[in-house]
């Protein structure tokens, strides 16, 4: 997949570009269906499957107080979109100049002249441009006058539940990580570098890896059973997200105890896959009560993780093609 961060890199329009535009935070199963349509249409016309998005999220510039915490980092989003068989990802900076660009100029100067849009696919409620003037009716009129096709998708749902980034954020903030496979098509994950912490876990008999992560959105504070990827190795673990109220620490921390693991891994990167929530973070009367609770968490996690497997994005992709490869 070619990644473009500056529109000046596009010196000539892309061949028969089939384009979708959006934030695509989470790259959930609804987004995946949009990408599948884009890829299918591109293959039908020997064209280029294109995703157009922005970084940062537009609300971080326009209304920071309303900006959502993002489900994915930019790096994760790139990996997930590439895995969706997209040919070109255009992820350009969202600046004040871009925010003030009238919708008509965005279509004429960027979509048509720069990208060479042949077919545009958007959701039914999509709108862009200054004052969100570029809604689907506007885009349909522009397509008719400028010579590109329009495809407007109805809300994408399963069993009556519409896929949405807002719904996913709500479940994560409630700690409901078990719903993620149904909504994302994979386990919710975060990656972090192992850094030095207070070493309290080791003193308690349960050493933990303290993770520093770029992830904006974390599940509700509490204790979770997780799978831990260390390179090609997959291990079982229990992670605590929170402020360690028993020790009255400040700031949120992510500390994972890897089961039956005793190596020094400072500086390494681990990826956690959240399987099930075990309990809320609690204030214990003393360290003895905390140790008892941790031991119970570990035993419960062993039972949960014994037969659990990681569900990753690779497992549900068909690149918009049929089983015979067409």
């Amino acid at each position: 997949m070619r990644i473009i961060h500056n529109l000046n890199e596009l010196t000539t329009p892309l061949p028969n570009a089939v384009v979708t535009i959006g934030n695509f935070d989470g790259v959930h199963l609804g987004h995946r269906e949009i990408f599948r349509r884009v890829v299918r249409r591109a293959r039908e016309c020997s064209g280029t499957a294109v995703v157009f998005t922005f970084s940062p999220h537009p609300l971080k510039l326009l209304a920071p107080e309303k900006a959502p915490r993002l489900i994915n980092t930019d790096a994760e989003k790139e990996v997930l979109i590439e895995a969706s068989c997209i040919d070109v990802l255009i992820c350009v900076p969202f600046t004040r100049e871009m925010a003030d660009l009238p919708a008509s100029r965005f279509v004429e100067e960027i979509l048509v002249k720069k990208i060479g849009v042949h077919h545009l696919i958007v959701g039914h409620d999509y709108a862009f441009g200054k004052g969100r003037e570029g809604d689907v009716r506007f885009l349909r009129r522009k397509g008719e006058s400028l010579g590109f096709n329009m495809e407007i998708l109805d809300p994408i749902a399963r069993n009556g539940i519409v896929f949405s980034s807002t719904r996913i954020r709500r479940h994560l903030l409630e700690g409901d990580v078990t719903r993620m496979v149904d909504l994302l098509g994979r386990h919710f994950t975060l990656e972090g570098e192992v850094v030095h912490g207070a070493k309290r876990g080791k003193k308690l008999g349960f050493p933990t890896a303290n993770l520093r992560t770029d992830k904006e959105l974390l599940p509700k504070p509490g204790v979770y059973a997780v799978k831990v990827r260390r390179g090609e190795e997959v291990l079982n673990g229990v992670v605590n997200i929170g402020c360690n109220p028993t020790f009255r620490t400040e700031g949120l921390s992510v500390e994972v105890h890897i089961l039956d693991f005793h190596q020094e891994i400072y500086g390494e990167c681990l990826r956690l896959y959240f399987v099930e929530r075990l309990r809320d973070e609690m204030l214990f009367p003393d360290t003895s009560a905390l140790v008892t609770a941790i031991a119970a968490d570990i035993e419960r996690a062993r039972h949960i993780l014994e037969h659990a497997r990681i569900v990753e994005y690779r497992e549900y992709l068909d690149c918009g093609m049929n089983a015979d490869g067409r």
Side-chain angles (χ1 to χ4, degrees), residues 25 69-72 165 168-170 172-173 188-190 214-219:
D25 183 34
R69 285 181 282 171
L70 299 182
I71 300 164
N72 294 129
S165 300
I168 290 166
R169 290 190 192 96
R170 184 174 71 247
L172 286 172
L173 292 172
F188 176 78
T189 78
L190 68 82
D214 293 330
K215 202 82 161 181
E216 289 186 10
L217 182 64
L218 299 177

Side-chain angles (χ1 to χ4, degrees), residues 103-104 107 128 133-143:
S104 58
V107 173
F128 72 101
E133 60 182 332
D135 59 15
V136 292
R137 289 182 296 177
F138 169 88
L139 286 169
R140 194 181 292 281
R141 291 196 303 270
K142 280 293 186 181

Side-chain angles (χ1 to χ4, degrees), residues 60-120:
K60 290 192 175 183
L61 176 71
L62 301 176
E65 70 284 357
K66 297 180 181 179
R69 285 181 282 171
L70 299 182
I71 300 164
N72 294 129
T73 65
D74 285 346
E76 287 173 337
K77 186 158 76 169
E78 289 178 2
V79 167
L80 291 164
I81 291 175
E82 181 173 19
S84 302
C85 309
I86 295 298
D87 299 315
V88 177
L89 169 61
I90 302 173
C91 182
V92 296
F94 190 80
T95 61
R96 176 55 63 182
E97 181 182 15
M98 181 65 74
D100 290 339
L101 189 67
S104 58
R105 285 186 57 196
F106 178 86
V107 173
E108 294 163 9
E109 298 174 14
I110 296 178
L111 285 184
V112 175
K113 292 182 180 179
K114 274 285 185 185
I115 299 174
V117 61
H118 168 75
H119 190 95
L120 182 64

Side-chain angles (χ1 to χ4, degrees), residues 26-253:
V27 191
H28 54 62
L29 288 176
H31 297 147
R32 278 285 304 121
E33 180 58 30
I34 294 172
F35 299 158
R36 187 178 286 112
R37 302 279 186 95
V38 169
V39 171
R40 185 180 298 125
R41 293 286 183 266
R43 300 299 177 261
E44 290 171 353
C45 67
S46 300
T48 309
V50 182
V51 170
F52 191 109
T53 189
F54 299 99
S55 182
H57 191 289
L59 284 177
K60 290 192 175 183
L61 176 71
L62 301 176
E65 70 284 357
K66 297 180 181 179
R69 285 181 282 171
L70 299 182
I71 300 164
N72 294 129
T73 65
D74 285 346
E76 287 173 337
K77 186 158 76 169
E78 289 178 2
V79 167
L80 291 164
I81 291 175
E82 181 173 19
S84 302
C85 309
I86 295 298
D87 299 315
V88 177
L89 169 61
I90 302 173
C91 182
V92 296
F94 190 80
T95 61
R96 176 55 63 182
E97 181 182 15
M98 181 65 74
D100 290 339
L101 189 67
S104 58
R105 285 186 57 196
F106 178 86
V107 173
E108 294 163 9
E109 298 174 14
I110 296 178
L111 285 184
V112 175
K113 292 182 180 179
K114 274 285 185 185
I115 299 174
V117 61
H118 168 75
H119 190 95
L120 182 64
I121 300 177
V122 296
H124 72 289
D125 58 351
Y126 181 73
F128 72 101
K130 188 174 182 180
R132 293 176 61 82
E133 60 182 332
D135 59 15
V136 292
R137 289 182 296 177
F138 169 88
L139 286 169
R140 194 181 292 281
R141 291 196 303 270
K142 280 293 186 181
E144 291 170 355
S145 64
L146 296 173
F148 61 85
N149 300 318
M150 272 290 300
E151 185 173 346
I152 301 169
L153 300 183
D154 291 329
I156 298 170
R158 177 183 292 168
N159 299 324
I161 303 298
V162 175
F163 297 112
S164 79
S165 300
T166 300
R167 182 184 300 277
I168 290 166
R169 290 190 192 96
R170 184 174 71 247
H171 282 300
L172 286 172
L173 292 172
E174 292 170 351
D176 188 5
V177 296
T178 58
R179 291 294 303 276
M180 293 302 101
V181 174
D182 290 337
L183 297 172
L184 292 174
R186 62 188 187 277
H187 282 110
F188 176 78
T189 78
L190 68 82
E191 185 178 63
E193 179 187 358
V194 181
V195 297
H196 289 277
K199 297 183 173 60
R200 294 192 188 93
K202 188 173 184 179
K203 294 174 183 176
L204 295 173
F206 305 102
T208 59
N210 212 49
L211 298 186
R212 179 172 59 204
T213 181
D214 293 330
K215 202 82 161 181
E216 289 186 10
L217 182 64
L218 299 177
K220 179 182 177 180
V223 182
Y224 297 84
V226 295
K227 290 285 186 177
V228 183
R229 184 179 294 282
R230 180 194 178 214
E232 295 301 314
E233 188 177 21
V234 176
L235 305 160
N236 293 331
V238 176
V239 67
N240 183 82
I241 298 175
C243 303
N244 296 301
T246 303
F247 298 102
R248 295 183 174 86
T249 59
E250 294 183 3
L252 202 66
S253 65

